[in-house]
Amino acid sequence: MSLTDLIYAGSNAVAGLTEGAVKDAIEKYGPDKAVAYPDTAYCLPIIYAATGVKIKTLGDLPAAVDIQKSLITNEDDLGQALNAGLATAVGAEIIEAVRYLDGDPYTDDAGIGFVPDPIIRSLGVPLVTGDIPGIAVLLGKSEDAASLAAIVKSYQEKGLLTFMVGDIIEQAVEGGVKMGLDYRVIPLGHDVTSVIHVVSVAIRAALIFGAIEPGKLPDFLTYTKDRVPAFVNTFGAIDEVVVSVGAGAIALGFPVIADVEVPEVPGALMTQADHEKTVETSLEARDIKIKVTKIDVPVAVASAFEGERVRKDTMFAEFGGNRTECWELVKMADLADVEDHKITVVGPDIDDAQFAGVDVVRLPLGVVVEVAGKAMQKDFETVLERRIHYFMNYVEGAMHVGQRNIAWIRLTKEAFEKGFRLKHIGEVLYAKMRDEFDKVVDKCQVTIYTNPEDVKKLGEEMVKPIYAERDERMDALTDESVDEFYTCLLCQSFAPSHVCIVTPERLGLCGAVSWLDAKATKELDPTGPNQPVVKGEAIDEKLGRWASVDEAVATNSQGAVEQVTLYSILEDPMTSCGCFECICGIMPEANGVIIVNREFGDTSPVGMTFGELASMTGGGVQTPGFMGHGRFLIGSKKFMAAEGGLTRIVWMPKELKDDVAERLNKAVKELTGIDNFADMVCDETIANDSEGVLEFLESKGHPALGMDPIM
Ligand code: SF4
Ligand code: ZN
């Protein structure tokens, strides 16, 4: 059979299955039964993207099946056959959706199935920074489980996000692969149709970040081809359904690499029978470049391990976490005073004789990273220091929480057994500081203290005064006190017309880029994503409008956005890309706004979930009344200052409220004299419906109720 014949055979088979599944479901539940995937604002995303139609009930599905069938022309033409692959995608989306009718069918460990919107949004930043350099989709059953596991581990160590479908999931587990979203290895499911859940991720990326118009299928295909760095590896014998799935992948621009003989299509479909070369062939096929830093430690160090948790039962050693003192500091020093790559441990290490037989090794810990370089600036100390959190989390077997003197570190037994010791923390920090900050760090040395007296004394006499001094400097750092703001264009790789303007009092909406970060990045990468905008005179101080900012946004959005204000949510608000930590929306009856963070799963008092609210904005489009922003903005005096500011906030999820309360209270006190403002803000534990929220606000005398009408 020719390749096109194979594709059509698979596509027709899937069309038959889809038709049958829909018919059976309608017979069983009736046409009015709701059909939906969990926690998404895009219904059945692939059908929505391809046709602009939002599928709501089973009765909507037969029309979608007709579209599916119309994509299968059976013409002897490869382009047409690839369209038939897309038909298979539509069919798989329907078949899987039908499986969701009785609730989540993915309840065992073998797969997660549908990936909710908030997770896709959370992947935005690591993808644009290259922290996740690519997406691998693996499916099938390998002839050789060991080499399959080695391939997955290799992707993991390179930071890729790997999705798995089929028997290879068990094979990888048997091969010792750590799995789960936290490890960037995601089992989707057993049936081949579950591969659709990764296609759905790619398509929703185009909807969320790219603002591609539903119904314009060719635009979606261009988007996924150009901007979603994914590829497919198949293992074992391939039947016609897999071939047709592969055709769909190719239509999306994802090359397929099989380990059995397949008819080659240059750049799109190829064979690599040697599993030792699968990774290399795949990365080349998708043009994914991996930067490797060799670090001399006995465990893996990779961004894929960033989310790893260390629980009590696997823990070997612990520092901080309210049990011992634990702090970390990055300090600038004179070139002459730093000996490059000097790592010193002062005090007992975790293998010290005194710990023989103890359950968990607990030690105080002080980490001092001294850096020197001609281009280093004092302001960059905090930028580098905050990276310690990430660098330590990259270590396989280490967990790092917090920062400064509330740092908390755990190490696993496994890491200890592999030979990991405290000096290796120094090695990792040294290597990463030199590597990521090469333009400003010419020399770096790390000293680790574990004697209780040292940690206490240095903590009091050296570290605390430095923190205090920095806090003072940060407090004094306002939008008025600087001459330059910065653009951030990082997210343009996904949201081509989005521009963040980062100011001292308004960090990037992802929460990951502060004004100081942007300033440091400019130094590290002079032609990079952060460029200064020389402020000049404001056109309107209250709205936060500057001619210089308008110009920077217009130029960098290629004219898509011509004017933005920095302090208003209603008048030319800043655009969103899609990866924001929080979304703020107006609650008219409360004369204020609610804020929902990405982690909050329930419906908010305006009747929408985070995902639904988030879908109202994004993709670099201005949407008055909605604003994506970072957590840290809640506590900034510039937070929608044009509409009355922080005291407009009437509702937040409790976790978010507790997280921001201290800064929020301080800022509101300084602005208005009101004490403990956070206590006036409603949360889901108090009320989650409009009436209940209003009642609470009235009982607290919330200031928003007395302000000018917001709309
Ligand atoms: Fe993206 Fe804005 Fe964050 Fe830059 S600051 S990474 S553009 S969200
Ligand atoms: Zn973004």
Side-chain angles (χ1 to χ4, degrees):
M1 250 207 244
S2 75
L3 179 60
T4 49
D5 287 343
L6 270 173
I7 296 172
Y8 286 126
S11 303
N12 283 310
V14 173
L17 289 173
T18 314
E19 202 162 24
V22 170
K23 198 164 151 272
D24 290 350
I26 292 178
E27 262 165 33
K28 186 168 169 200
Y29 298 99
D32 296 334
K33 168 92 174 167
V35 44
Y37 282 118
D39 209 354
T40 179
Y42 305 97
C43 302
L44 270 52
I46 296 165
I47 296 173
Y48 179 51
T51 64
V53 175
K54 288 192 164 184
I55 302 287
K56 295 266 164 75
T57 63
L58 277 178
D60 297 335
L61 284 177
V65 176
D66 288 343
I67 292 167
Q68 176 188 356
K69 290 200 290 193
S70 74
L71 286 166
I72 312 171
T73 61
N74 297 311
E75 274 172 49
D76 188 18
D77 169 81
L78 187 60
Q80 291 289 329
L82 295 182
N83 276 341
L86 294 173
T88 295
V90 169
E93 177 167 67
I94 295 173
I95 291 173
E96 287 284 311
V98 168
R99 296 186 61 204
Y100 272 85
L101 285 174
D102 290 323
D104 187 355
Y106 290 94
T107 45
D108 56 0
D109 289 343
I112 66 158
F114 187 80
V115 181
D117 291 357
I119 292 181
I120 299 177
R121 291 176 182 277
S122 73
L123 294 172
V125 170
L127 279 165
V128 296
T129 56
D131 182 35
I132 297 178
I135 298 170
V137 182
L138 276 50
L139 76 161
K141 178 177 182 178
S142 176
E143 287 293 314
D144 173 24
S147 63
L148 176 268
I151 289 171
V152 181
K153 283 184 190 166
S154 173
Y155 287 142
Q156 194 173 40
E157 284 179 11
K158 293 178 173 59
L160 275 84
L161 188 62
T162 303
F163 290 93
M164 304 182 85
V165 174
D167 290 340
I168 49 167
I169 296 174
E170 274 79 53
Q171 293 184 308
V173 171
E174 278 160 28
V177 174
K178 292 178 185 160
M179 239 180 246
L181 188 59
D182 287 345
Y183 291 99
R184 293 193 188 165
V185 177
I186 304 174
L188 285 176
H190 259 279
D191 298 339
V192 66
T193 47
S194 65
V195 74
I196 205 60
H197 300 307
V198 63
V199 175
S200 177
V201 169
I203 290 292
R204 273 179 289 154
L207 284 163
I208 291 173
F209 302 108
I212 307 288
E213 203 181 308
K216 296 195 168 161
L217 181 59
D219 292 1
F220 281 92
L221 301 182
T222 308
Y223 184 95
T224 53
K225 179 171 184 287
D226 292 347
R227 299 181 190 276
V228 181
F231 59 85
V232 179
N233 290 161
T234 69
F235 294 90
I238 335 191
D239 61 20
E240 55 209 34
V241 172
V242 173
V243 172
S244 135
V245 165
I250 292 168
L252 290 158
F254 307 156
V256 177
I257 298 92
D259 70 349
V260 294
E261 217 39 65
V262 287
E264 301 246 343
V265 178
L269 179 61
M270 58 206 86
T271 298
Q272 178 49 271
D274 183 353
H275 282 182
E276 294 212 348
K277 294 190 183 141
T278 304
V279 173
E280 196 191 326
T281 305
S282 304
L283 296 179
E284 260 176 39
R286 196 66 176 115
D287 201 18
I288 295 170
K289 302 217 169 39
I290 307 284
K291 192 169 123 189
V292 276
T293 330
K294 205 71 208 114
I295 306 179
D296 191 15
V297 294
V299 295
V301 180
S303 57
F305 296 110
E306 191 190 319
E308 175 191 24
R309 314 307 289 168
V310 178
R311 285 186 302 269
K312 282 205 182 87
D313 51 331
T314 58
M315 172 167 68
F316 179 83
E318 183 170 43
F319 315 88
N322 289 328
R323 306 260 195 166
T324 63
E325 199 171 334
C326 181
W327 48 257
E328 55 206 24
L329 183 77
V330 170
K331 225 171 71 161
M332 181 175 145
D334 286 335
L335 274 164
D337 296 335
V338 176
E339 185 184 323
D340 191 44
H341 204 165
K342 181 176 164 196
I343 316 275
T344 320
V345 178
V346 184
D349 204 325
I350 48 178
D351 57 359
D352 196 271
Q354 60 172 301
F355 300 122
V358 304
D359 228 19
V360 175
V361 174
R362 287 204 169 81
L363 274 169
L365 190 76
V367 179
V368 181
V369 180
E370 284 164 288
V371 294
K374 284 187 233 54
M376 180 65 196
Q377 298 180 23
K378 214 167 168 35
D379 267 353
F380 299 165
E381 288 179 344
T382 53
V383 174
L384 272 59
E385 192 175 289
R386 259 200 338 175
R387 296 297 293 165
I388 291 180
H389 169 70
Y390 298 92
F391 297 159
M392 284 211 193
N393 270 326
Y394 291 172
V395 175
E396 183 182 11
M399 176 179 88
H400 183 281
V401 179
Q403 50 161 335
R404 285 191 165 189
N405 55 358
I406 52 164
W408 175 29
I409 301 165
R410 282 180 165 184
L411 299 173
T412 59
K413 291 178 187 137
E414 193 189 339
F416 179 79
E417 276 151 23
K418 284 184 181 164
F420 193 85
R421 300 293 179 267
L422 289 180
K423 70 161 189 267
H424 296 121
I425 290 182
E427 287 290 348
V428 171
L429 295 180
Y430 168 78
K432 298 301 282 182
M433 289 292 172
R434 287 297 315 262
D435 181 49
E436 274 201 20
F437 298 103
D438 56 336
K439 289 253 167 41
V440 294
V441 176
D442 300 334
K443 283 174 158 189
C444 172
Q445 69 183 23
V446 182
T447 315
I448 295 170
Y449 299 93
T450 61
N451 282 321
E453 320 80 67
D454 293 342
V455 178
K456 193 167 176 14
K457 189 163 187 289
L458 287 168
E460 286 299 327
E461 291 170 13
M462 173 178 78
V463 178
K464 272 198 188 151
I466 292 177
Y467 291 158
E469 191 190 313
R470 285 181 188 167
D471 285 344
E472 243 172 69
R473 158 109 178 94
M474 281 311 292
D475 272 348
L477 199 58
T478 60
D479 290 2
E480 289 77 21
S481 73
V482 299
D483 296 325
E484 291 174 340
F485 298 153
Y486 287 89
T487 57
C488 188
L489 306 181
L490 259 180
C491 283
Q492 288 202 342
S493 49
F494 282 118
S497 57
H498 171 69
V499 182
C500 269
I501 298 289
V502 180
T503 79
E505 291 178 90
R506 180 164 187 177
L507 81 169
L509 52 83
C510 57
V513 180
S514 71
W515 183 82
L516 280 178
D517 292 321
K519 189 171 177 227
T521 304
K522 165 70 186 160
E523 197 67 40
L524 293 167
D525 185 2
T527 58
N530 301 120
Q531 294 299 323
V533 179
V534 179
K535 232 172 50 174
E537 282 293 306
I539 300 173
D540 187 328
E541 296 209 5
K542 186 158 176 253
L543 289 171
R545 166 164 294 165
W546 281 265
S548 57
V549 169
D550 284 346
E551 197 190 311
V553 170
T555 311
N556 288 299
S557 70
Q558 286 81 42
V561 180
E562 290 183 341
Q563 292 189 331
V564 296
T565 63
L566 301 186
Y567 310 144
S568 171
I569 181 177
L570 289 171
E571 206 164 316
D572 299 331
M574 205 189 298
T575 60
S576 300
C577 43
C579 66
F580 38 83
E581 289 184 303
C582 303
I583 177 91
C584 168
I586 292 177
M587 183 171 174
E589 67 272 36
N591 204 28
V593 295
I594 63 153
I595 301 174
V596 189
N597 55 299
R598 201 161 56 205
E599 295 78 11
F600 186 70
D602 287 337
T603 304
S604 73
V606 296
M608 288 192 264
T609 60
F610 171 84
E612 287 163 341
L613 277 163
S615 74
M616 307 297 290
T617 178
V621 179
Q622 280 177 321
T623 332
F626 295 94
M627 177 173 72
H629 61 84
R631 278 181 177 238
F632 207 70
L633 191 72
I634 316 169
S636 162
K637 290 175 183 165
K638 296 297 194 293
F639 176 87
M640 52 184 286
E643 284 85 26
L646 293 166
T647 47
R648 286 282 188 189
I649 303 172
V650 297
W651 188 95
M652 280 190 264
K654 180 146 180 21
E655 182 270 322
L656 178 65
K657 189 166 86 172
D658 290 347
D659 185 41
V660 301
E662 200 182 317
R663 286 185 67 243
L664 176 62
N665 285 340
K666 185 165 175 274
V668 172
K669 172 83 182 164
E670 285 168 17
L671 285 168
T672 66
I674 296 172
D675 283 307
N676 297 321
F677 173 70
D679 293 345
M680 298 176 161
V681 177
C682 194
D683 65 53
E684 81 281 9
T685 67
I686 303 165
N688 215 356
D689 61 298
S690 178
E691 230 164 83
V693 173
L694 281 177
E695 224 167 84
F696 174 80
L697 298 177
E698 267 155 32
S699 76
K700 289 284 173 183
H702 191 292
L705 300 175
M707 292 165 84
D708 289 341
I710 193 163
M711 292 176 67

